[in-house]
């Protein structure tokens, strides 16, 4: 009950207050407390969730960095916790579309065998489940 009140009040503040207020010491301190409580009480689970183009701003940032690399260079990309590879393949598509002259090698690693098998298959279907 108390947690619900805190959650609703915080969400309300987050939605209506301007950044200048949310960046004050009081709200930063409150955010740290909420984060600490969340870490302490949340259930622990490993999710394999991923999907193609999941984080476009991140892909665009990496593409923009690749645009600054000198012609003919080699780039190595490593995705730690790559899941089924959808994110890494999305990145390769972005990079190779922007810089076809770059030599790009990619490595994905993950602790879950099922997602690595899926990534190795390089075969995806619309009806694939997001979390193996
Ligand atoms: C939520 S998925 C993220 C997938 C992808 N990177 C993305 O952002 O869309 C997290 C993945 O990290 C993997 N993982 C968790 N701990 C790991 C570890 N210590 N080493 C390698 N992979 C790990 C999980 O098996 C899971 O597939």
């Amino acid at each position: 009950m108390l947690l619900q009140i805190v959650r609703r009040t915080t969400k309300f503040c987050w939605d209506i207050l301007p950044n200048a207020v949310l960046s004050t010491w009081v709200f930063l301190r409150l955010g740290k407390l909420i984060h600490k409580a969340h870490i302490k009480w949340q259930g622990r689970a490993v999710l394999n969730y991923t999907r193609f183009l999941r984080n476009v701003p991140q892909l665009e940032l990496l593409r923009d960095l690749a645009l600054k690399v000198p012609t003919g260079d080699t780039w190595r990309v490593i995705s730690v916790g790559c899941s089924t590879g959808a994110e890494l393949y999305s990145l390769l598509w972005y990079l190779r579309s922007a810089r076809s002259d770059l030599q790009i090698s990619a490595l994905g690693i993950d602790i879950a065998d099922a997602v690595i098998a899926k990534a190795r298959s390089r075969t995806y279907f619309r009806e694939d489940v997001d979390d193996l």
Side-chain angles (χ1 to χ4, degrees):
M1 180 66 183
L2 176 67
L3 222 57
Q4 283 242 334
I5 294 169
V6 171
R7 195 179 69 80
R8 285 206 180 126
T9 310
T10 309
K11 168 112 177 61
F12 179 75
C13 292
W14 182 261
D15 289 343
I16 64 155
L17 294 175
N19 254 347
V21 177
L22 291 173
S23 307
T24 57
W25 180 87
V26 176
F27 277 93
L28 292 178
R29 187 80 197 122
L30 179 64
K32 277 186 183 168
L33 281 174
I34 292 168
H35 180 66
K36 216 171 162 181
H38 177 70
I39 298 290
K40 190 173 177 183
W41 290 317
Q42 75 168 352
R44 292 246 168 209
V46 176
L47 298 177
N48 303 119
Y49 177 80
T50 190
R51 65 181 170 83
F52 285 93
L53 306 177
R54 186 184 65 72
N55 187 345
V56 170
Q58 175 186 283
L59 296 172
E60 288 177 349
L61 175 71
L62 291 167
R63 185 236 8 238
D64 292 349
L65 288 175
L67 288 171
K68 295 179 182 163
V69 173
T71 306
D73 257 24
T74 304
W75 247 39
R76 293 175 65 208
V77 182
I78 299 175
S79 174
V80 179
C82 64
S83 187
T84 62
E87 184 195 36
L88 184 55
Y89 286 128
S90 300
L91 176 61
L92 287 174
W93 180 80
Y94 258 83
L95 296 179
R96 287 181 175 147
S97 300
R99 292 296 306 268
S100 55
D101 61 302
L102 282 186
Q103 285 289 323
I104 303 171
S105 68
L107 172 68
I109 62 169
D110 202 287
I111 50 172
D113 293 339
V115 293
I116 288 295
K118 180 72 182 170
R120 280 212 174 103
S121 78
R122 296 184 212 155
T123 308
Y124 300 88
F125 302 99
R126 190 180 284 271
E127 55 279 359
D128 281 347
V129 286
D130 289 325
D131 199 18
L132 289 179

